[in-house]
Amino acid sequence: MSNSYRELIRDEVRELPFYVPGKPIEELRRERGLTNVVKLASNENSWGTDPAALDAIIKFLPDIFRYPDSKAYDLRLTIAASLGLKTEQFVFGNGSEEIIKLIALAFFRAGDEILMGKPTFPRYSSVSKMMGATPIELPCNNGYYPLERILDCITIHTRAVFICNPNNPTGTVLEEEHLREFVSRVPENVLLIFDEAYYEFMEIPFSGLLFLEEHPVIVLRTFSKAFGLAGLRIGFAISSSELIDGMERVREAFNVNALVQVAALAAWKNREYLQQIIAANAVERRYLTNELEGMGAKTFPSQTNFVMAFFPGMGTRLSEQLLDKGIIVRPGGGFGYPDGLRITVGTREENSMLLTALRNIITNKVT
Amino acid sequence: MSNSYRELIRDEVRELPFYVPGKPIEELRRERGLTNVVKLASNENSWGTDPAALDAIIKFLPDIFRYPDSKAYDLRLTIAASLGLKTEQFVFGNGSEEIIKLIALAFFRAGDEILMGKPTFPRYSSVSKMMGATPIELPCNNGYYPLERILDCITIHTRAVFICNPNNPTGTVLEEEHLREFVSRVPENVLLIFDEAYYEFMEIPFSGLLFLEEHPVIVLRTFSKAFGLAGLRIGFAISSSELIDGMERVREAFNVNALVQVAALAAWKNREYLQQIIAANAVERRYLTNELEGMGAKTFPSQTNFVMAFFPGMGTRLSEQLLDKGIIVRPGGGFGYPDGLRITVGTREENSMLLTALRNIITNKVT
């Protein structure tokens, strides 16, 4: 009987992989009876949420028995105005992970080929499979998104290309020049999806928005990283109104909760706090990178709030040993980097604890 | 050029209807310059959110820069224990509207037929179309879900049946006996989906859970109605672990935000507040129904927090005239009831304002 139940699941879904998130702090506490846990595994904003956003949440609490505004009216108006775009060029989602699913639902068909780098954010591949499309994963070059290989692999079946810039989990940024040339060579019926979750951390920010007039482009942004709202879930896509219309038709009416609408609005307006976070992150990323390299690790050049670091021959074991000490980082094995650790930039205190623990593990190993 | 963009949208999606939500209070204020607005249009809990849930939210605020627990661990454990089920029999969603989409993504294929009543919750039809399946809408009998007609329409192509009980927008409840006989006659490869969004308001609650052992069944519940958390978004499905596995594979990792996890847990545990809401709602529903019938309206017998009322020859105009007076109800036209108004049970103050306004409109019309 239960076997026949399993047969009710769509063929495309029955073996879809689960996303493996960074281990939650509570889970590590439960599992190992630890009290003091440092999490540098999910590229959250280590300095916490903008206090202005918290105030906005508290003020709105009496109204949460009401459904949220289906169109995120205030937030939409504000973001559209500050980017100089029309309100109908936006769709808001329950995190940009939901937006990625809306894109697949709106545009990907069985038999389509969807191109992407490897490693990159694993959801691009799974939503493609969910729709019966074929994800084609092309290896990054030394951590850089493989634009040339992508161009080589475009066929008449290619429906879309995902470009994660800065790329997760490598942290690298494409050169604007290089990207311009790439876009000019992509056929105009191929959708270009720029995932810019780490946009705010770029040294000289530039965006896929540059190509909005000349190509079918969707740009993704999130409030989960620099804006410190990962727990409340909101991301958005910017595109032409025609493509947004398709995504709106597969969106739930109340997909963006009421508290995150007011929180995101407050955080978006408070550029001062955002700049502080970006500055603190840059200082700490430099510190963390230097110290990691000082103990023999190699790193990819990062313009994000994480560092992909390689410890030849030690990666996977290292992440396990760090867990024993109450420190959670992301092991690189799932990304195809068995020697790698993806480490979120923490506060100075968190980074020091991580570095001390790493030094102890490595020293004990050598002696 | 923009025309070719539109062609990038999947055929199944290009004409999908948008859900039309109840008009938000802010929107009416903006449109008509009104300050005092009463909303009885979306079946929210008119008495507001459980204060215990609000406390839980405030306590959790410092942690919202972290991603939420992907598995809603604490909430899952608590609900599973109180229903005497296994934790792997649950999937949590961003409102039950997201769960409905997860069901479609996990189980519905092009060419499948999906049976449902009419009128009922419009998302059943739109998610079916989204997957290339055919929704077959069978007219309710005097507001009652059409079980006999559904049985008559089951074919080898039938993949699933949606049973909304109590039914939205009619408010009616099926008899347990009747439902038992229905289920015994449904082939065992047809998925039965019980949407029980209004379960807590039933006079003698009984659930599709009764059939969990004998049939592929999915039961939907929500915190948006009796639990007063519509703005924060959480619903869940209960099923066999095999069917849940399929839904988990199409779920985003962080689809349920962190604040609603703690709020729902607090609300679930506070049975006293829930009982107060249910009791207050029963009193006000009786009052509202009696008064509406007193002014000549017909109503369906409701076991929910709304009343479907019919004003022959007046429905659509009536809802417009109420808007002029700052009162939002749901016009029945969208449900196929042009004479109908779906009215949420409000507090005594809200109900009185509505009834006074209705009386004024009707009297002015007559004189």
mmCIF file of all heavy atoms in Angstrom, chain A residues 8 10 16 44 66-67 94 97 101 105-106 159 215 231 233 249-250 252 254-255 258, chain B residues 5 8 10 16 44 66-67 94 97 101 105-106 159 233 249-250 252 254-255 258:
data_model
loop_
_atom_site.group_PDB
_atom_site.id
_atom_site.type_symbol
_atom_site.label_atom_id
_atom_site.label_comp_id
_atom_site.label_asym_id
_atom_site.label_seq_id
_atom_site.Cartn_x
_atom_site.Cartn_y
_atom_site.Cartn_z
ATOM 1 N N LEU A 8 2.387 7.755 -6.537
ATOM 2 C CA LEU A 8 1.587 8.951 -6.829
ATOM 3 C C LEU A 8 2.464 10.186 -7.032
ATOM 4 O O LEU A 8 2.023 11.191 -7.571
ATOM 5 C CB LEU A 8 0.587 9.206 -5.697
ATOM 6 C CG LEU A 8 -0.580 8.208 -5.585
ATOM 7 C CD1 LEU A 8 -1.359 8.431 -4.307
ATOM 8 C CD2 LEU A 8 -1.505 8.339 -6.800
ATOM 9 N N ARG A 10 5.092 12.573 -8.707
ATOM 10 C CA ARG A 10 5.528 12.783 -10.094
ATOM 11 C C ARG A 10 6.939 12.229 -10.304
ATOM 12 O O ARG A 10 7.804 12.377 -9.442
ATOM 13 C CB ARG A 10 5.549 14.271 -10.446
ATOM 14 C CG ARG A 10 4.193 14.879 -10.739
ATOM 15 C CD ARG A 10 4.333 16.403 -10.845
ATOM 16 N NE ARG A 10 5.203 16.774 -11.937
ATOM 17 C CZ ARG A 10 6.167 17.681 -11.877
ATOM 18 N NH1 ARG A 10 6.407 18.343 -10.760
ATOM 19 N NH2 ARG A 10 6.905 17.956 -12.930
ATOM 20 N N LEU A 16 14.108 14.008 -6.456
ATOM 21 C CA LEU A 16 14.694 15.352 -6.324
ATOM 22 C C LEU A 16 15.493 15.421 -5.028
ATOM 23 O O LEU A 16 15.037 14.977 -3.986
ATOM 24 C CB LEU A 16 13.597 16.413 -6.252
ATOM 25 C CG LEU A 16 13.132 17.127 -7.511
ATOM 26 C CD1 LEU A 16 12.208 18.276 -7.114
ATOM 27 C CD2 LEU A 16 14.289 17.643 -8.346
ATOM 28 N N GLU A 44 24.707 34.544 6.958
ATOM 29 C CA GLU A 44 23.801 35.526 7.538
ATOM 30 C C GLU A 44 24.604 36.770 7.920
ATOM 31 O O GLU A 44 25.841 36.745 7.948
ATOM 32 C CB GLU A 44 23.145 34.896 8.776
ATOM 33 C CG GLU A 44 22.257 33.716 8.400
ATOM 34 C CD GLU A 44 22.214 32.586 9.432
ATOM 35 O OE1 GLU A 44 23.150 32.480 10.247
ATOM 36 O OE2 GLU A 44 21.251 31.810 9.401
ATOM 37 N N ARG A 66 -4.377 40.157 10.291
ATOM 38 C CA ARG A 66 -4.838 40.432 8.925
ATOM 39 C C ARG A 66 -3.910 39.768 7.908
ATOM 40 O O ARG A 66 -2.701 39.696 8.126
ATOM 41 C CB ARG A 66 -4.774 41.942 8.632
ATOM 42 C CG ARG A 66 -5.649 42.788 9.503
ATOM 43 C CD ARG A 66 -7.054 42.812 8.961
ATOM 44 N NE ARG A 66 -7.899 43.685 9.777
ATOM 45 C CZ ARG A 66 -9.206 43.458 9.961
ATOM 46 N NH1 ARG A 66 -9.805 42.420 9.402
ATOM 47 N NH2 ARG A 66 -9.912 44.274 10.708
ATOM 48 N N TYR A 67 -4.443 39.374 6.768
ATOM 49 C CA TYR A 67 -3.580 38.944 5.674
ATOM 50 C C TYR A 67 -2.665 40.088 5.270
ATOM 51 O O TYR A 67 -3.029 41.258 5.387
ATOM 52 C CB TYR A 67 -4.425 38.491 4.468
ATOM 53 C CG TYR A 67 -4.966 37.099 4.656
ATOM 54 C CD1 TYR A 67 -6.220 36.887 5.197
ATOM 55 C CD2 TYR A 67 -4.186 35.996 4.327
ATOM 56 C CE1 TYR A 67 -6.701 35.594 5.403
ATOM 57 C CE2 TYR A 67 -4.658 34.718 4.535
ATOM 58 C CZ TYR A 67 -5.903 34.512 5.073
ATOM 59 O OH TYR A 67 -6.357 33.246 5.287
ATOM 60 N N ASN A 94 8.969 34.952 -0.969
ATOM 61 C CA ASN A 94 9.265 34.457 0.375
ATOM 62 C C ASN A 94 10.741 34.025 0.409
ATOM 63 O O ASN A 94 11.076 32.858 0.507
ATOM 64 C CB ASN A 94 8.324 33.270 0.637
ATOM 65 C CG ASN A 94 8.376 32.757 2.057
ATOM 66 O OD1 ASN A 94 8.517 33.524 3.008
ATOM 67 N ND2 ASN A 94 8.255 31.436 2.209
ATOM 68 N N GLU A 97 14.799 32.277 -2.670
ATOM 69 C CA GLU A 97 14.602 30.868 -3.043
ATOM 70 C C GLU A 97 13.201 30.648 -3.624
ATOM 71 O O GLU A 97 13.035 29.859 -4.538
ATOM 72 C CB GLU A 97 14.929 29.882 -1.909
ATOM 73 C CG GLU A 97 14.147 30.038 -0.644
ATOM 74 C CD GLU A 97 14.296 28.833 0.355
ATOM 75 O OE1 GLU A 97 15.053 27.895 0.109
ATOM 76 O OE2 GLU A 97 13.603 28.880 1.386
ATOM 77 N N LYS A 101 11.954 29.471 -7.681
ATOM 78 C CA LYS A 101 10.897 28.520 -8.036
ATOM 79 C C LYS A 101 9.853 29.172 -8.949
ATOM 80 O O LYS A 101 9.391 28.542 -9.912
ATOM 81 C CB LYS A 101 10.213 27.986 -6.776
ATOM 82 C CG LYS A 101 9.154 26.942 -7.068
ATOM 83 C CD LYS A 101 8.309 26.620 -5.843
ATOM 84 C CE LYS A 101 8.818 25.372 -5.138
ATOM 85 N NZ LYS A 101 8.027 25.075 -3.918
ATOM 86 N N LEU A 105 8.589 27.848 -12.563
ATOM 87 C CA LEU A 105 7.170 27.601 -12.836
ATOM 88 C C LEU A 105 6.669 28.430 -14.014
ATOM 89 O O LEU A 105 5.812 27.989 -14.775
ATOM 90 C CB LEU A 105 6.335 27.921 -11.595
ATOM 91 C CG LEU A 105 6.387 26.872 -10.495
ATOM 92 C CD1 LEU A 105 5.729 27.404 -9.230
ATOM 93 C CD2 LEU A 105 5.689 25.590 -10.956
ATOM 94 N N ALA A 106 7.177 29.626 -14.140
ATOM 95 C CA ALA A 106 6.686 30.509 -15.199
ATOM 96 C C ALA A 106 7.303 30.190 -16.557
ATOM 97 O O ALA A 106 6.639 30.340 -17.585
ATOM 98 C CB ALA A 106 6.957 31.971 -14.838
ATOM 99 N N ARG A 159 16.923 27.290 -22.566
ATOM 100 C CA ARG A 159 15.841 28.191 -22.193
ATOM 101 C C ARG A 159 16.359 29.353 -21.355
ATOM 102 O O ARG A 159 15.850 30.475 -21.441
ATOM 103 C CB ARG A 159 14.816 27.403 -21.354
ATOM 104 C CG ARG A 159 13.571 28.153 -20.989
ATOM 105 C CD ARG A 159 12.781 28.496 -22.193
ATOM 106 N NE ARG A 159 11.391 28.809 -21.888
ATOM 107 C CZ ARG A 159 10.498 29.079 -22.807
ATOM 108 N NH1 ARG A 159 10.840 29.081 -24.085
ATOM 109 N NH2 ARG A 159 9.264 29.356 -22.478
ATOM 110 N N HIS A 215 17.713 42.707 -23.401
ATOM 111 C CA HIS A 215 17.673 41.248 -23.322
ATOM 112 C C HIS A 215 16.610 40.830 -22.309
ATOM 113 O O HIS A 215 16.318 41.570 -21.388
ATOM 114 C CB HIS A 215 19.057 40.749 -22.872
ATOM 115 C CG HIS A 215 19.332 39.348 -23.313
ATOM 116 N ND1 HIS A 215 20.001 39.049 -24.480
ATOM 117 C CD2 HIS A 215 19.005 38.161 -22.761
ATOM 118 C CE1 HIS A 215 20.070 37.728 -24.605
ATOM 119 N NE2 HIS A 215 19.476 37.173 -23.568
ATOM 120 N N GLY A 231 15.705 35.384 8.632
ATOM 121 C CA GLY A 231 14.673 34.634 9.343
ATOM 122 C C GLY A 231 13.262 35.016 8.955
ATOM 123 O O GLY A 231 12.318 34.266 9.197
ATOM 124 N N ARG A 233 12.294 36.200 5.723
ATOM 125 C CA ARG A 233 12.029 35.760 4.352
ATOM 126 C C ARG A 233 11.460 36.827 3.427
ATOM 127 O O ARG A 233 10.262 37.028 3.361
ATOM 128 C CB ARG A 233 11.089 34.534 4.324
ATOM 129 C CG ARG A 233 11.329 33.493 5.367
ATOM 130 C CD ARG A 233 12.747 32.919 5.372
ATOM 131 N NE ARG A 233 13.128 32.332 4.112
ATOM 132 C CZ ARG A 233 14.232 32.695 3.420
ATOM 133 N NH1 ARG A 233 15.042 33.652 3.855
ATOM 134 N NH2 ARG A 233 14.529 32.117 2.301
ATOM 135 N N ARG A 249 1.641 35.282 -12.020
ATOM 136 C CA ARG A 249 0.545 34.320 -12.190
ATOM 137 C C ARG A 249 0.796 32.998 -11.466
ATOM 138 O O ARG A 249 -0.123 32.224 -11.254
ATOM 139 C CB ARG A 249 0.292 34.060 -13.682
ATOM 140 C CG ARG A 249 -0.390 35.226 -14.358
ATOM 141 C CD ARG A 249 -0.518 35.021 -15.864
ATOM 142 N NE ARG A 249 -0.823 36.300 -16.495
ATOM 143 C CZ ARG A 249 -2.062 36.771 -16.677
ATOM 144 N NH1 ARG A 249 -3.091 36.058 -16.296
ATOM 145 N NH2 ARG A 249 -2.246 37.952 -17.237
ATOM 146 N N VAL A 250 2.026 32.717 -11.103
ATOM 147 C CA VAL A 250 2.304 31.485 -10.356
ATOM 148 C C VAL A 250 2.661 31.786 -8.895
ATOM 149 O O VAL A 250 3.075 30.904 -8.147
ATOM 150 C CB VAL A 250 3.445 30.660 -11.009
ATOM 151 C CG1 VAL A 250 2.977 30.093 -12.338
ATOM 152 C CG2 VAL A 250 4.714 31.499 -11.194
ATOM 153 N N GLU A 252 1.692 32.830 -5.023
ATOM 154 C CA GLU A 252 0.562 32.857 -4.100
ATOM 155 C C GLU A 252 0.220 34.313 -3.762
ATOM 156 O O GLU A 252 1.094 35.174 -3.714
ATOM 157 C CB GLU A 252 0.919 32.164 -2.787
ATOM 158 C CG GLU A 252 0.728 30.683 -2.808
ATOM 159 C CD GLU A 252 1.888 29.981 -3.485
ATOM 160 O OE1 GLU A 252 3.042 30.318 -3.184
ATOM 161 O OE2 GLU A 252 1.626 29.121 -4.345
ATOM 162 N N PHE A 254 -0.525 35.662 -0.935
ATOM 163 C CA PHE A 254 0.000 36.171 0.339
ATOM 164 C C PHE A 254 1.358 35.556 0.657
ATOM 165 O O PHE A 254 1.627 35.135 1.775
ATOM 166 C CB PHE A 254 -1.000 35.894 1.459
ATOM 167 C CG PHE A 254 -2.366 36.449 1.173
ATOM 168 C CD1 PHE A 254 -3.454 35.616 0.995
ATOM 169 C CD2 PHE A 254 -2.546 37.819 1.055
ATOM 170 C CE1 PHE A 254 -4.711 36.133 0.718
ATOM 171 C CE2 PHE A 254 -3.797 38.352 0.769
ATOM 172 C CZ PHE A 254 -4.884 37.508 0.602
ATOM 173 N N ASN A 255 2.223 35.521 -0.354
ATOM 174 C CA ASN A 255 3.508 34.837 -0.173
ATOM 175 C C ASN A 255 4.509 35.632 0.655
ATOM 176 O O ASN A 255 5.476 35.059 1.156
ATOM 177 C CB ASN A 255 4.115 34.482 -1.537
ATOM 178 C CG ASN A 255 4.464 35.707 -2.363
ATOM 179 O OD1 ASN A 255 3.767 36.721 -2.276
ATOM 180 N ND2 ASN A 255 5.502 35.637 -3.145
ATOM 181 N N ALA A 258 3.452 39.923 6.433
ATOM 182 C CA ALA A 258 3.233 41.338 6.739
ATOM 183 C C ALA A 258 4.413 41.948 7.504
ATOM 184 O O ALA A 258 4.790 43.096 7.259
ATOM 185 C CB ALA A 258 1.940 41.488 7.552
ATOM 186 N N TYR B 5 9.062 38.441 -25.435
ATOM 187 C CA TYR B 5 9.229 38.135 -24.007
ATOM 188 C C TYR B 5 8.031 37.346 -23.494
ATOM 189 O O TYR B 5 8.174 36.376 -22.786
ATOM 190 C CB TYR B 5 9.376 39.419 -23.182
ATOM 191 C CG TYR B 5 10.718 40.088 -23.300
ATOM 192 C CD1 TYR B 5 11.668 39.674 -24.230
ATOM 193 C CD2 TYR B 5 11.056 41.152 -22.464
ATOM 194 C CE1 TYR B 5 12.902 40.290 -24.334
ATOM 195 C CE2 TYR B 5 12.288 41.775 -22.553
ATOM 196 C CZ TYR B 5 13.199 41.348 -23.495
ATOM 197 O OH TYR B 5 14.413 41.961 -23.583
ATOM 198 N N LEU B 8 7.952 33.712 -23.862
ATOM 199 C CA LEU B 8 8.808 32.898 -22.992
ATOM 200 C C LEU B 8 8.017 32.279 -21.836
ATOM 201 O O LEU B 8 8.477 31.351 -21.181
ATOM 202 C CB LEU B 8 9.956 33.753 -22.422
ATOM 203 C CG LEU B 8 11.044 34.163 -23.420
ATOM 204 C CD1 LEU B 8 12.005 35.169 -22.782
ATOM 205 C CD2 LEU B 8 11.821 32.940 -23.899
ATOM 206 N N ARG B 10 5.400 29.973 -20.031
ATOM 207 C CA ARG B 10 4.819 28.654 -20.346
ATOM 208 C C ARG B 10 3.349 28.799 -20.759
ATOM 209 O O ARG B 10 2.615 29.605 -20.196
ATOM 210 C CB ARG B 10 4.878 27.724 -19.127
ATOM 211 C CG ARG B 10 6.242 27.147 -18.838
ATOM 212 C CD ARG B 10 6.206 26.402 -17.494
ATOM 213 N NE ARG B 10 5.264 25.316 -17.511
ATOM 214 C CZ ARG B 10 4.376 25.051 -16.531
ATOM 215 N NH1 ARG B 10 4.329 25.813 -15.443
ATOM 216 N NH2 ARG B 10 3.554 24.052 -16.634
ATOM 217 N N LEU B 16 -3.172 32.125 -16.778
ATOM 218 C CA LEU B 16 -3.630 31.736 -15.431
ATOM 219 C C LEU B 16 -4.263 32.935 -14.745
ATOM 220 O O LEU B 16 -3.724 34.035 -14.793
ATOM 221 C CB LEU B 16 -2.448 31.276 -14.570
ATOM 222 C CG LEU B 16 -2.077 29.797 -14.475
ATOM 223 C CD1 LEU B 16 -1.033 29.617 -13.377
ATOM 224 C CD2 LEU B 16 -3.289 28.927 -14.205
ATOM 225 N N GLU B 44 -10.528 36.700 8.509
ATOM 226 C CA GLU B 44 -9.489 36.761 9.528
ATOM 227 C C GLU B 44 -10.159 36.658 10.903
ATOM 228 O O GLU B 44 -11.382 36.782 11.038
ATOM 229 C CB GLU B 44 -8.724 38.086 9.374
ATOM 230 C CG GLU B 44 -7.991 38.172 8.042
ATOM 231 C CD GLU B 44 -7.914 39.559 7.413
ATOM 232 O OE1 GLU B 44 -8.787 40.416 7.726
ATOM 233 O OE2 GLU B 44 -7.009 39.779 6.603
ATOM 234 N N ARG B 66 19.111 35.221 11.520
ATOM 235 C CA ARG B 66 19.404 33.829 11.183
ATOM 236 C C ARG B 66 18.304 33.255 10.292
ATOM 237 O O ARG B 66 17.123 33.579 10.474
ATOM 238 C CB ARG B 66 19.437 32.958 12.451
ATOM 239 C CG ARG B 66 20.465 33.325 13.463
ATOM 240 C CD ARG B 66 21.783 32.705 13.112
ATOM 241 N NE ARG B 66 22.782 33.026 14.128
ATOM 242 C CZ ARG B 66 24.078 33.195 13.842
ATOM 243 N NH1 ARG B 66 24.518 33.081 12.602
ATOM 244 N NH2 ARG B 66 24.933 33.477 14.794
ATOM 245 N N TYR B 67 18.679 32.335 9.406
ATOM 246 C CA TYR B 67 17.656 31.579 8.679
ATOM 247 C C TYR B 67 16.793 30.821 9.672
ATOM 248 O O TYR B 67 17.256 30.429 10.741
ATOM 249 C CB TYR B 67 18.314 30.605 7.688
ATOM 250 C CG TYR B 67 18.766 31.308 6.437
ATOM 251 C CD1 TYR B 67 20.061 31.788 6.318
ATOM 252 C CD2 TYR B 67 17.879 31.531 5.395
ATOM 253 C CE1 TYR B 67 20.474 32.463 5.174
ATOM 254 C CE2 TYR B 67 18.279 32.208 4.251
ATOM 255 C CZ TYR B 67 19.571 32.674 4.150
ATOM 256 O OH TYR B 67 19.971 33.354 3.022
ATOM 257 N N ASN B 94 4.169 28.136 3.843
ATOM 258 C CA ASN B 94 3.988 29.576 3.958
ATOM 259 C C ASN B 94 2.492 29.885 3.768
ATOM 260 O O ASN B 94 2.083 30.487 2.790
ATOM 261 C CB ASN B 94 4.863 30.237 2.889
ATOM 262 C CG ASN B 94 4.946 31.744 3.004
ATOM 263 O OD1 ASN B 94 4.998 32.297 4.099
ATOM 264 N ND2 ASN B 94 4.970 32.414 1.855
ATOM 265 N N GLU B 97 -2.008 28.117 1.429
ATOM 266 C CA GLU B 97 -1.980 28.352 -0.022
ATOM 267 C C GLU B 97 -0.684 27.799 -0.619
ATOM 268 O O GLU B 97 -0.689 27.276 -1.728
ATOM 269 C CB GLU B 97 -2.230 29.813 -0.425
ATOM 270 C CG GLU B 97 -1.291 30.831 0.141
ATOM 271 C CD GLU B 97 -1.393 32.228 -0.539
ATOM 272 O OE1 GLU B 97 -2.244 32.456 -1.391
ATOM 273 O OE2 GLU B 97 -0.568 33.094 -0.176
ATOM 274 N N LYS B 101 0.015 24.512 -3.459
ATOM 275 C CA LYS B 101 0.942 24.491 -4.582
ATOM 276 C C LYS B 101 1.917 23.312 -4.475
ATOM 277 O O LYS B 101 2.221 22.657 -5.483
ATOM 278 C CB LYS B 101 1.729 25.802 -4.638
ATOM 279 C CG LYS B 101 2.646 25.895 -5.846
ATOM 280 C CD LYS B 101 3.615 27.048 -5.746
ATOM 281 C CE LYS B 101 3.085 28.260 -6.486
ATOM 282 N NZ LYS B 101 4.031 29.402 -6.387
ATOM 283 N N LEU B 105 2.637 20.469 -7.275
ATOM 284 C CA LEU B 105 3.993 20.217 -7.788
ATOM 285 C C LEU B 105 4.422 18.776 -7.559
ATOM 286 O O LEU B 105 5.141 18.194 -8.370
ATOM 287 C CB LEU B 105 4.994 21.149 -7.101
ATOM 288 C CG LEU B 105 4.977 22.587 -7.592
ATOM 289 C CD1 LEU B 105 5.830 23.461 -6.687
ATOM 290 C CD2 LEU B 105 5.514 22.637 -9.023
ATOM 291 N N ALA B 106 3.983 18.203 -6.458
ATOM 292 C CA ALA B 106 4.418 16.845 -6.133
ATOM 293 C C ALA B 106 3.626 15.789 -6.902
ATOM 294 O O ALA B 106 4.174 14.742 -7.247
ATOM 295 C CB ALA B 106 4.297 16.594 -4.633
ATOM 296 N N ARG B 159 -6.825 12.237 -10.801
ATOM 297 C CA ARG B 159 -5.641 12.128 -9.961
ATOM 298 C C ARG B 159 -5.959 12.470 -8.513
ATOM 299 O O ARG B 159 -5.377 11.910 -7.584
ATOM 300 C CB ARG B 159 -4.587 13.111 -10.483
ATOM 301 C CG ARG B 159 -3.252 13.068 -9.788
ATOM 302 C CD ARG B 159 -2.569 11.752 -10.038
ATOM 303 N NE ARG B 159 -1.141 11.805 -9.793
ATOM 304 C CZ ARG B 159 -0.347 10.763 -9.982
ATOM 305 N NH1 ARG B 159 -0.839 9.612 -10.428
ATOM 306 N NH2 ARG B 159 0.939 10.855 -9.752
ATOM 307 N N ARG B 233 1.724 33.951 8.047
ATOM 308 C CA ARG B 233 1.790 32.868 7.070
ATOM 309 C C ARG B 233 2.303 31.562 7.621
ATOM 310 O O ARG B 233 3.515 31.340 7.681
ATOM 311 C CB ARG B 233 2.644 33.280 5.846
ATOM 312 C CG ARG B 233 2.439 34.669 5.328
ATOM 313 C CD ARG B 233 0.991 35.004 4.995
ATOM 314 N NE ARG B 233 0.442 34.120 3.982
ATOM 315 C CZ ARG B 233 -0.694 33.419 4.157
ATOM 316 N NH1 ARG B 233 -1.401 33.511 5.269
ATOM 317 N NH2 ARG B 233 -1.138 32.656 3.199
ATOM 318 N N ARG B 249 10.149 17.410 -1.110
ATOM 319 C CA ARG B 249 11.141 17.564 -2.180
ATOM 320 C C ARG B 249 10.869 18.784 -3.061
ATOM 321 O O ARG B 249 11.747 19.227 -3.797
ATOM 322 C CB ARG B 249 11.193 16.296 -3.043
ATOM 323 C CG ARG B 249 11.861 15.137 -2.333
ATOM 324 C CD ARG B 249 11.797 13.829 -3.122
ATOM 325 N NE ARG B 249 12.126 12.711 -2.262
ATOM 326 C CZ ARG B 249 13.377 12.261 -2.055
ATOM 327 N NH1 ARG B 249 14.384 12.805 -2.695
ATOM 328 N NH2 ARG B 249 13.596 11.265 -1.224
ATOM 329 N N VAL B 250 9.668 19.308 -3.030
ATOM 330 C CA VAL B 250 9.383 20.520 -3.822
ATOM 331 C C VAL B 250 9.226 21.751 -2.920
ATOM 332 O O VAL B 250 8.865 22.833 -3.388
ATOM 333 C CB VAL B 250 8.129 20.353 -4.705
ATOM 334 C CG1 VAL B 250 8.397 19.321 -5.805
ATOM 335 C CG2 VAL B 250 6.917 19.936 -3.881
ATOM 336 N N GLU B 252 10.733 24.757 -0.524
ATOM 337 C CA GLU B 252 11.958 25.499 -0.264
ATOM 338 C C GLU B 252 12.447 25.190 1.152
ATOM 339 O O GLU B 252 11.655 24.935 2.054
ATOM 340 C CB GLU B 252 11.717 27.009 -0.354
ATOM 341 C CG GLU B 252 11.800 27.572 -1.745
ATOM 342 C CD GLU B 252 10.507 27.339 -2.495
ATOM 343 O OE1 GLU B 252 9.430 27.581 -1.927
ATOM 344 O OE2 GLU B 252 10.572 26.891 -3.649
ATOM 345 N N PHE B 254 13.614 27.153 3.398
ATOM 346 C CA PHE B 254 13.282 28.134 4.433
ATOM 347 C C PHE B 254 11.929 28.783 4.157
ATOM 348 O O PHE B 254 11.766 29.993 4.258
ATOM 349 C CB PHE B 254 14.389 29.196 4.524
ATOM 350 C CG PHE B 254 15.746 28.600 4.755
ATOM 351 C CD1 PHE B 254 16.742 28.705 3.791
ATOM 352 C CD2 PHE B 254 16.026 27.915 5.926
ATOM 353 C CE1 PHE B 254 17.992 28.149 3.994
ATOM 354 C CE2 PHE B 254 17.273 27.353 6.153
ATOM 355 C CZ PHE B 254 18.262 27.467 5.180
ATOM 356 N N ASN B 255 10.947 27.949 3.835
ATOM 357 C CA ASN B 255 9.651 28.488 3.435
ATOM 358 C C ASN B 255 8.812 28.992 4.609
ATOM 359 O O ASN B 255 7.865 29.749 4.401
ATOM 360 C CB ASN B 255 8.859 27.429 2.640
ATOM 361 C CG ASN B 255 8.507 26.199 3.470
ATOM 362 O OD1 ASN B 255 9.276 25.813 4.345
ATOM 363 N ND2 ASN B 255 7.375 25.611 3.213
ATOM 364 N N ALA B 258 10.874 32.405 10.690
ATOM 365 C CA ALA B 258 11.229 32.085 12.075
ATOM 366 C C ALA B 258 10.194 32.619 13.065
ATOM 367 O O ALA B 258 9.880 31.954 14.059
ATOM 368 C CB ALA B 258 12.607 32.672 12.388
#
